Amino acid sequence: MDIVANTLLAAGASPAMIHSLAEIPDFTPQAQALCVNVGTLSPSWVPAMKSAAELMVKLGKPWVLDPVAAGASGFRLNACLALVGVKPTVIRGNGSEIIALSSVSCSIKGVDSAHGSMDALEAAKSLARASGSIVAVSGAVDVVTDGNRVVAAHNGVPMMQKITATGCAVTALIAAFVALDPSHPLEATASALSVFCIAGELGMDLAKGPASLRMHLIDSLYGLDEAALLSRVRITDL
Amino acid sequence: MDIVANTLLAAGASPAMIHSLAEIPDFTPQAQALCVNVGTLSPSWVPAMKSAAELMVKLGKPWVLDPVAAGASGFRLNACLALVGVKPTVIRGNGSEIIALSSVSCSIKGVDSAHGSMDALEAAKSLARASGSIVAVSGAVDVVTDGNRVVAAHNGVPMMQKITATGCAVTALIAAFVALDPSHPLEATASALSVFCIAGELGMDLAKGPASLRMHLIDSLYGLDEAALLSRVRITDL
Amino acid sequence: MDIVANTLLAAGASPAMIHSLAEIPDFTPQAQALCVNVGTLSPSWVPAMKSAAELMVKLGKPWVLDPVAAGASGFRLNACLALVGVKPTVIRGNGSEIIALSSVSCSIKGVDSAHGSMDALEAAKSLARASGSIVAVSGAVDVVTDGNRVVAAHNGVPMMQKITATGCAVTALIAAFVALDPSHPLEATASALSVFCIAGELGMDLAKGPASLRMHLIDSLYGLDEAALLSRVRITDL
């Protein structure tokens, strides 16, 4: 939660972290977007997550799912599948997570042993078509798809994977971007991925390891200007 | 919890974080002060918070309340009001939080749309008189009141608001200060706010963004000496 | 959890944080080692911790216990004792924690008021003999014992105690080291303590306070090479 909240604050968003089912009805309508992250999932959180997501859908507002370690247990996979059923605007995961979700949602089997990027891409397209969500797969190259169109975001540095919860942070940033442009979720998602990864590139110029990269990434995100962004951004259609 | 615990350690205090009702009777008497923070509130925590606060009052020891996002839901507001009923030594919040608490505790209405500092100041004085607590309102200028006397602490830098949980951290620091001087809670509160904000000013001289400010703030708090403190402190009576 | 996960990532391990009993049967068999940390203990976590530990023992895989604040409450002490009964490969705590566990497990009394290193050492040896675990005591000098042999690890800097959860982080690192060399848990434990503390020494050369030490420690751990390690390591038999 720490890096997620600090990422959102650095980007100009206004985060609040809510766990309790009891405050969903009052609090959720005040949010412009919802990010549901199943990271350290507790059973009591699942109804709160589902209720908040359903309320956002009812209000016509965007919500984004981070299916952390979706394939790691049946409990976790079932929770994620129930959430996918509430029609997230965007689902963002790594290759393994998207493949795990896709192979159940779309009745494909046998992909456990091969999580290469093309496998993940096909899984992402299937999941996007089955769920109606934009699906983003993080990796050396991030891919974003609505099931037909596929966009690749090429920024980032490998050391970002050595910082815990950078994936969670970028999913929350996607929620903030989609809040600002809810009618273009694919573009908003690709933009958020690029902006976060460019902050990582700028941070890497100053970093001596993953902990200083974490600091410089957030500082760079806060200080990012349009010129630096435009000179570095690499988004392509696949 | 991370920045809260590290703030306390840097200031020379000895923090412990306890969630469970089951260990309040054994653990709480060992503490010199208690800080109750409703940040990511779960229903099961409320009885533990109330029990710990009641025990501190019974033992004649100070306890401090951080009513995070008090107005964001009925669940949260009710939890905060129940805690205010246990007579916190100090309540520290931002303007909106203090106004939310005050408008219910003191039967004032219609302040939701105007959270300027003078509104918050009147709300703080009302809340202090109704609760018997010292009330502190964080903002561009921090104000501290016992319902009659009002003290303003003028230190700090705006970027501190771009770091998650700096408010939580300073509330915990207030608890540490009040532990050392329980008979002067207003002065202890104003001092804690000043010390934390001066550490922020010193950190800002080295910071390139909110993440490096966070680091330099804690480092500066750890290294703060009396000379630096006295040359910078700005506390005035209002 | 933040510094624990980032420590493991910096060291080349692959952490996952699981709270829920429901996913122990699916997830735990995928882990090469388990670290159980009772830090902010909630009652619902205890059965999950016990179940995960039992499963690791059944699978013949190592697991490590961090009995945080074991003596702070009866609830916490009972939870720790129940976990000790599941035969951890390693128990790592500070002097007070090891003495608290040892005085109950081994029916010794009256050590509450004197937690000097020799008291802790005798407590550690008793606990190791009673539990069958390797017991490590952190302090100015770290000691590791199987009940007979005692090894001392002399690296580290005092300021590491001013960073919250460095103890938790090194316990997790011990789990990672024991995963790689499960048949030599004493040596793996002493090595993990040394490596973490050497990273602290290297970080201290650059640090200006506890927050920058935290950053530089993780960076140094990530960048640690064999030459730096060998020139600094100080492990002796007692």
Side-chain angles (χ1 to χ4, degrees), chain B residues 164-206:
Chain B
T164 197
T166 44
C168 306
V170 80
T171 303
L173 195 63
I174 289 171
F177 274 56
V178 174
L180 292 179
D181 192 5
S183 55
H184 299 97
L186 188 149
E187 289 79 359
T189 300
S191 300
L193 288 163
S194 292
V195 163
F196 191 72
C197 287
I198 289 171
E201 291 176 5
L202 293 167
M204 195 67 209
D205 293 342
L206 301 167

Side-chain angles (χ1 to χ4, degrees), chain A residues 1-2 5-6 9-10 12-13 17-20 22-23 26-27 30 45 206 214-216 218-219 222, chain B residues 2 39-43 71-76 159 161-164 208-215:
Chain A
M1 281 197 295
D2 184 81
N6 280 321
L9 285 168
M17 286 76 80
I18 300 285
H19 287 166
S20 171
E23 55 188 332
D26 288 350
F27 183 78
Q30 304 175 45
W45 293 357
L206 302 167
R214 176 187 165 147
M215 180 181 77
H216 293 305
I218 303 283
D219 277 2
Y222 178 79
Chain B
D2 184 81
T40 52
L41 192 60
S42 293
S73 74
F75 165 70
R76 192 170 282 265
M159 199 188 278
Q161 293 171 28
K162 293 292 179 186
I163 310 168
T164 197
K208 294 176 184 160
S212 51
L213 175 57
R214 176 188 165 145
M215 181 181 77

Side-chain angles (χ1 to χ4, degrees), chain B residues 63-218:
Chain B
W63 79 276
V64 177
L65 173 64
D66 193 325
V68 180
S73 74
F75 165 70
R76 192 170 282 265
L77 188 58
N78 287 334
C80 289
L81 291 172
L83 289 163
V84 169
V86 191
K87 298 196 174 301
T89 315
V90 184
I91 304 169
R92 202 268 345 146
N94 63 31
S96 299
E97 291 157 354
I98 297 303
I99 289 169
L101 278 186
S102 182
S103 57
V104 183
S105 298
C106 315
S107 299
I108 298 168
K109 287 206 174 188
V111 291
D112 292 338
S113 58
H115 295 177
S117 60
M118 289 317 290
D119 283 336
L121 177 55
E122 288 311 310
K125 289 167 77 172
S126 300
L127 180 59
R129 283 192 293 262
S131 64
S133 306
I134 301 297
V135 175
V137 189
S138 293
V141 174
D142 298 335
V143 294
V144 187
T145 182
D146 59 8
N148 295 300
R149 187 178 167 201
V150 180
V151 161
H154 301 265
N155 294 96
V157 293
M159 199 188 278
M160 290 169 72
Q161 293 171 28
K162 293 292 179 186
I163 310 168
T164 197
T166 44
C168 306
V170 80
T171 303
L173 195 63
I174 289 171
F177 274 56
V178 174
L180 292 179
D181 192 5
S183 55
H184 299 97
L186 188 149
E187 289 79 359
T189 300
S191 300
L193 288 163
S194 292
V195 163
F196 191 72
C197 287
I198 289 171
E201 291 176 5
L202 293 167
M204 195 67 209
D205 293 342
L206 301 167
K208 294 176 184 160
S212 51
L213 175 57
R214 176 188 165 145
M215 181 181 77
H216 293 304
L217 186 161
I218 303 283

Side-chain angles (χ1 to χ4, degrees), chain A residues 31-47:
Chain A
Q32 289 176 267
L34 168 71
C35 176
V36 173
N37 182 306
V38 301
T40 52
L41 192 61
S42 293
S44 66
W45 293 357
V46 179

